[in-house]
Amino acid sequence: MTPLIELEGIGQRFGHITALSDIDLQLHAGEVVALLGDNGAGKSTLVKILSGAHRPTSGRILFEGRPVRLDTPQDARALGIETLYQDLALIPRMSIARNFHLGRELTRLVGPVRVLDHARMSAQASQALADIGIHVRNTDEPVVSLSGGERQSIAIGRAVHFGSKVLILDEPTSALSIGETRKVLGYIRSARENRMCVIFITHNLHHVFQVADRLVVLSQGRKVAEHHKDEVTEEQVADLIMSEHQELDGEGRHRHTEQSRSAGSPNKGRQPTG
Amino acid sequence: MILGTRTRHILAREPAAGAGVGFLFVFAFFTLAAPDTFLTHASLSSILSSQAVPGIAAISITLLMISGEFDLSVGSILAVSSLVFLSSTVGGTPILLAALLGIVTGCGLGLINGLLLVWTRIPSFIVTLGTMLVFRAIPLTAVSGGRIVRYADFSREDPTIAVPGLVVLLGVSALTVIVLWIALPVLRHREGATRVSAGLAALASLVVVYILLRSLDTHGLSPFARVEFNVFHILNGRADLGLPGTNYRTSIVWWLGLTGVFAFILLHTRYGNAVFATGGNSEAARVQGIDVDRVRIKSFVLSGGLAALAGIIQVARLKSVDPLRGQGLELEIIASVVIGGTLLSGGFGSVAGSAIGTALTGMLRTGLVLISVPSNIFRGAIGAIMIGAVVINTYVRKDR
Ligand SMILES: Nc1ncnc2c1ncn2[C@@H]1O[C@H](COP(=O)(O)OP(=O)(O)OP(=O)(O)O)[C@@H](O)[C@H]1O
Ligand SMILES: [Mg+2]
């Protein structure tokens, strides 16, 4: 079976900082892949490449077996790739409904001009959010007036609603209550049942073992482990994430400039928290 | 100062609310302080007529400020476009073509600002500070010796265009149909209103046609006769309202009309939505599929066009261009826009607020003269009011 997405030798540099190097990865429809790694390992950078937010400096991407260019977020969206960004990508002073439809606003013709269909956008946003168990008081409220968890829920709801083939969730539960977290794990399972590919980034290994089929560990911009869930235990994975960091700490320096490492070194000893 | 949460909520949501309240305060103050002179047609008309041109330029600044950018070069763009308009008219170019040239010039200079911003990634404050000086050099060098270009040196008669009455009729009624067709359902905010409003719009245009035909008839004209229009009068002429000693000008209609059009564009089109998103959080807007650079360039082009239009409307009244035209305008307009509730940091604001802010500025200028305060105080007062407005808006919105 051809993988849904194949990454070949993906590398990303920001100036003289190497965020990712030589990543090979295959992702299939109907599977949940957990992307793990310490802070600054390159997880967000990797998924931003898949969502068209960053252009990789090397390597290529195949989608359904064909090489594709994901030069802009629009390209990724057109392929059915939808992303929850770690920073949520919401516009604070815009209403929930406008945020929900940002970049794909619903319009109607009024006379000769195309205008925003506010009524339909509000209705569709609250319906779509309600469908996945998120109830908002009023979709005309600005996002800035919501709590952190509520904002995260809105952003997740948007990604879940629009994603058709690939759903990327970058730390989706970081601000959520236990109940909301369960719901999110629930969406991930139902997305898998709908034959979607889900890429799930989290620091919570417990969640990983609840929903993921495979796990991929990044460290300092490299893929250092890839396992089926049944092949490893939670402790082993924790050790993989941690020990890689410690072992590589000596020799891994040369991959980054001294500057970038010293900037990144406070990460050392910081534990992936649950 | 404690406000009810509900009031505070409304004030926080509607950018123009604070400016509206401030406007009423200043208005009440001058009405009480100068009861005989302030609340008269003479002073109101002079306030509105003098603020029409800055008011149009304020729309352009507002658009950019909402998109998160800054434009210090409006005054210079206004000067260059005015010069292009007037000197090509004086040089024999048909008046409408000259106006078009002026507007294209404004759009072109705006495009330069936009491209510089997107290509260099230098903050727009710096880019437009640079182009403010560069663009200003154009009229200064083109007009030798800093001379003033006057229309009167070229012709005693104002420029006119002659159009068959029937065309005017059709044009006006088509415009009525389109404006009402769009405006009615948007005002009602409802789905099925479109067809009803199309009907109402058609009806209204029939009424307009009827009135126009009647007025042609009373002047003894046939619909096929050519009607002459004084272009300067249409742009910025004295409106004859039968009120002697007043100076209501047609530019006020342009100001309010353009404010309406741009309020509509900002609130009800995809482009407008993209402007708010880009100014609110450009990285979020980008990853959600908005081409933020295109939005920026488009906004600068539109803004340049508006500055040019403001310049052309000003020329229609002053009938001259001097190379220093519009200098110092930008800061006063930025103050008006900020008083109007638009956030300097982008993502929030309204052109209606800017119109109120501009009117408030004008009211202050005239009012201070009426209560015999030295005119030099004016700028200081504007500054104080601007700081006050920002403090109040910040308090209401609970953000730092
Ligand atoms: N736009 C950028 N410019 C420069 N460096 C960047 C940029 N984005 C990421 N980096 C660097 O790339 C490295 C990987 O960052 P990334 O955000 O992918 O980490 P992460 O694995 O998602 O970490 P976390 O768990 O903290 O979210 C970091 O060292 C970061 O400083
Ligand atoms: Mg991250």
Side-chain angles (χ1 to χ4, degrees), chain A residues 14 17-19 37-46 48 54 86 170-171 201 203 218 256 260-261 264 270:
Chain A
F14 297 107
I17 299 170
T18 306
D38 206 347
N39 293 122
K43 306 180 295 295
S44 296
T45 306
L46 184 63
K48 279 186 179 169
H54 284 327
Q86 191 171 5
D170 193 345
E171 301 198 24
I201 298 179
H203 291 297
L218 297 186
H256 299 259
S260 75
R261 277 329 300 164
R270 201 192 292 171

Side-chain angles (χ1 to χ4, degrees), chain A:
Chain A
M1 194 177 74
T2 22
L4 184 59
I5 301 179
E6 258 177 293
L7 301 182
E8 292 180 359
I10 290 292
Q12 177 82 62
R13 300 172 61 91
F14 297 107
H16 50 246
I17 299 170
T18 306
L20 285 178
S21 42
D22 210 19
I23 303 284
D24 293 320
L25 194 60
Q26 299 195 342
L27 302 160
H28 298 270
E31 74 167 347
V32 177
V33 177
L35 198 54
L36 306 171
D38 206 347
N39 293 122
K43 306 180 295 295
S44 296
T45 306
L46 184 63
V47 296
K48 279 186 179 169
I49 289 171
L50 280 174
S51 53
H54 284 327
R55 288 179 206 179
T57 33
S58 58
R60 63 175 197 152
I61 302 169
L62 296 128
F63 191 84
E64 293 174 337
R66 284 171 292 109
V68 288
R69 295 188 60 107
L70 300 176
D71 284 345
T72 62
Q74 292 90 313
D75 295 339
R77 281 184 167 194
L79 294 176
I81 302 172
E82 201 59 38
T83 308
L84 166 78
Y85 293 91
Q86 191 171 5
D87 63 5
L88 307 184
L90 295 169
I91 315 289
R93 289 181 195 281
M94 273 194 159
S95 70
I96 296 171
R98 282 188 187 237
N99 265 294
F100 192 86
H101 291 278
L102 195 61
R104 52 189 146 212
E105 296 81 3
L106 303 175
T107 57
R108 67 199 164 107
L109 271 179
V110 172
V113 291
R114 196 157 271 296
V115 303
L116 296 177
D117 194 339
H118 300 293
R120 205 149 56 92
M121 283 198 282
S122 288
Q124 195 166 315
S126 53
Q127 182 64 50
L129 291 171
D131 282 348
I132 49 178
I134 303 164
H135 294 279
V136 287
R137 287 181 297 268
N138 176 3
T139 51
D140 292 332
E141 238 176 284
V143 161
V144 73
S145 68
L146 302 178
S147 78
E150 286 171 325
R151 286 180 212 186
Q152 192 161 20
S153 296
I154 302 290
I156 295 171
R158 172 171 71 182
V160 170
H161 179 72
F162 288 105
S164 59
K165 288 187 176 160
V166 180
L167 181 60
I168 299 172
L169 300 171
D170 193 345
E171 301 198 24
T173 60
S174 59
L176 296 187
S177 67
I178 299 174
E180 295 299 315
T181 301
R182 283 212 184 116
K183 280 188 205 161
V184 171
L185 299 181
Y187 319 143
I188 295 178
R189 289 195 195 94
S190 61
R192 172 175 48 202
E193 275 153 32
N194 293 330
R195 301 291 303 151
M196 285 177 71
C197 167
V198 183
I199 302 167
F200 176 36
I201 298 179
T202 180
H203 291 297
N204 187 324
L205 294 182
H206 193 55
H207 294 163
V208 172
F209 277 85
Q210 281 180 46
V211 294
D213 301 305
R214 270 197 307 143
L215 26 97
V216 172
V217 182
L218 297 186
S219 176
Q220 300 185 6
R222 286 182 184 274
K223 187 172 90 177
V224 293
E226 186 171 4
H227 292 289
H228 196 272
K229 179 175 67 178
D230 304 333
E231 301 166 358
V232 282
T233 65
E234 224 171 289
E235 291 74 47
Q236 284 172 317
V237 177
D239 284 345
L240 271 172
I241 296 169
M242 298 291 302
S243 65
E244 278 298 336
H245 197 264
Q246 280 149 15
E247 274 167 29
L248 282 177
D249 220 25
E251 95 228 43
R253 274 171 200 277
H254 67 267
R255 276 207 298 275
H256 299 259
T257 63
E258 281 307 317
Q259 236 176 331
S260 75
R261 277 329 300 164
S262 60
S265 62
N267 286 341
K268 197 170 94 171
R270 201 192 292 171
Q271 311 218 345
T273 47

